[in-house]
Each structure stands twice: as structure tokens, then as C-alpha cells.
Amino acid sequence: DVQLVESGGGSVQAGGSLTLACAVSGYRGSSAAVGWFRQRPGEAREGIATFYQSGGGTTYTDSVKGRFTISRDSEKNTVYLQMNSLQPEDTGTYVCALGFDYPPDFNYWGQGTQVTVS
């Protein structure tokens, strides 16, 4: 089974940085996409960034462009989300997901990691 486990969340002051990791097991191919999503209480889940393993392309939502960077370590089968210049509105539960096709159909989800910016 495909499993995703997030780590790296925590509490940080505004302007600070965090790096989230999404460790993928059960799939080591190169045709999937891995995305990071943010969930705030009472709000719809928001797609933050996506890494396309085939070609290494990336996409970002406008609110994080220039501040967040998504990348992948193929040896560790882990996708990272480097978050800089964090703001209180970045607070939420960050969840990674894996999917196929284009646009990706994210079928596999992690449990999430909490990020709090004060």
C-alpha cells in the first residue's frame, strides 16, 4: 500500500522558516505527482504546491510563490516543502498527497502536520 507520512511541523514566529517532509512508501515510480495541501479550521482544503516526478515540474498557489519551495529527494523518496517568510495566515494543518494523471487525482493522503505561525 502507498503511505505518506509528514513531519517537520511546529510553531514559529512570523518571518521564520520551516521545512516539511513527506516520506512516501509503497511507490517508487517516477510518474506520480506529490502535492502539499493546507487545511484551516472551517475552511476548504487548499492546494499549496505540487511536484511532478516526471520532469520535475512544480506549481504553486499564488499566496506562497516566492516564499515556498517544493522539492524531491528521489533516493529518500521524500518530498519537501521549504517554507520561508512565514506569516500567521500560513497557519494550518499541512497534508501531502500522491496522485497520478494530469491534473493529478490525489488518491493517497497523509495524516498531516500542524504549522502555527504567531
Side-chain angles (χ1 to χ4, degrees):
D1 288 348
V2 177
Q3 293 186 336
L4 295 89
V5 179
E6 302 94 338
S7 61
S11 297
V12 64
Q13 291 187 339
S17 299
L18 283 173
T19 299
L20 307 183
C22 173
V24 180
S25 61
Y27 177 78
R28 294 196 68 90
S30 60
S31 61
V34 176
W36 280 100
F37 297 78
R38 178 168 62 204
Q39 180 75 61
R40 299 190 187 103
E43 297 185 15
R45 186 171 57 206
E46 175 187 18
I48 299 298
T50 300
F51 184 92
Y52 295 89
Q53 295 180 2
S54 177
T58 58
T59 60
Y60 300 91
T61 193
D62 285 346
S63 64
V64 307
K65 285 180 180 177
R67 300 189 299 125
F68 290 12
T69 302
I70 189 171
S71 61
R72 179 184 183 232
D73 185 326
S74 57
E75 289 190 7
K76 295 181 179 179
N77 209 19
T78 298
V79 174
Y80 300 94
L81 186 68
Q82 173 69 44
M83 305 186 296
N84 299 325
S85 301
L86 283 163
Q87 300 300 317
E89 53 266 33
D90 294 317
T91 294
T93 300
Y94 285 70
V95 184
C96 64
L98 184 146
F100 302 92
D101 300 321
Y102 187 84
D105 185 8
F106 291 105
N107 291 318
Y108 304 95
W109 295 82
Q111 295 297 311
T113 186
Q114 178 67 34
V115 171
T116 302
V117 185
S118 58

